[in-house]
């Protein structure tokens, strides 16, 4: 867990099996309003990783993950 005081929450840091790349997941709810500044603060506190995952939860307990990257990134082919 990594505290994100500017975002008033914590991020989860982990790795996929058999990899050495750190991944960051930031939880939020579907009803929250998230600003560009909020995302910039989260990236900065996490050390400006290439990408973070936003875990959006809803009232029915489903979770949707959005992969967010800094800048414009060409999608993999």
């Amino acid at each position: 867990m990594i505290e994100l005081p500017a975002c008033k929450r914590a991020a989860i840091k982990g790795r996929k099996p058999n990899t050495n790349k750190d991944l960051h997941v930031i939880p939020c709810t579907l009803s929250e309003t998230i600003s560009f500044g909020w995302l910039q603060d989260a990236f900065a506190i996490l050390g400006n990783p290439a990408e973070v995952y936003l875990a959006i939860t809803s009232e029915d307990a489903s979770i949707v993950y959005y992969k967010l990257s800094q800048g414009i990134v060409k999608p993999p082919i």
Side-chain angles (χ1 to χ4, degrees):
M1 298 287 270
I2 300 170
E3 290 292 326
L4 304 174
C7 302
K8 299 179 181 171
R9 70 195 67 231
I12 301 164
K13 179 179 175 181
R15 293 184 179 157
K16 289 184 180 180
N18 304 318
T19 67
N20 290 325
K21 183 179 177 186
D22 288 335
L23 302 174
H24 299 90
V25 178
I26 304 171
C28 67
T29 65
L30 185 60
S31 61
E32 286 183 82
T33 300
I34 295 177
S35 68
F36 184 68
W38 187 94
L39 291 170
Q40 285 181 313
D41 289 342
F43 270 96
I45 294 167
L46 295 172
N48 292 312
E51 59 202 26
V52 298
Y53 291 86
L54 197 60
I56 304 172
T57 61
S58 64
E59 292 180 10
D60 66 357
S62 60
I63 303 173
V64 175
Y65 293 91
Y66 280 93
K67 180 179 173 181
L68 303 176
S69 303
Q70 290 192 29
I72 298 173
V73 178
K74 183 177 179 178
I77 296 177

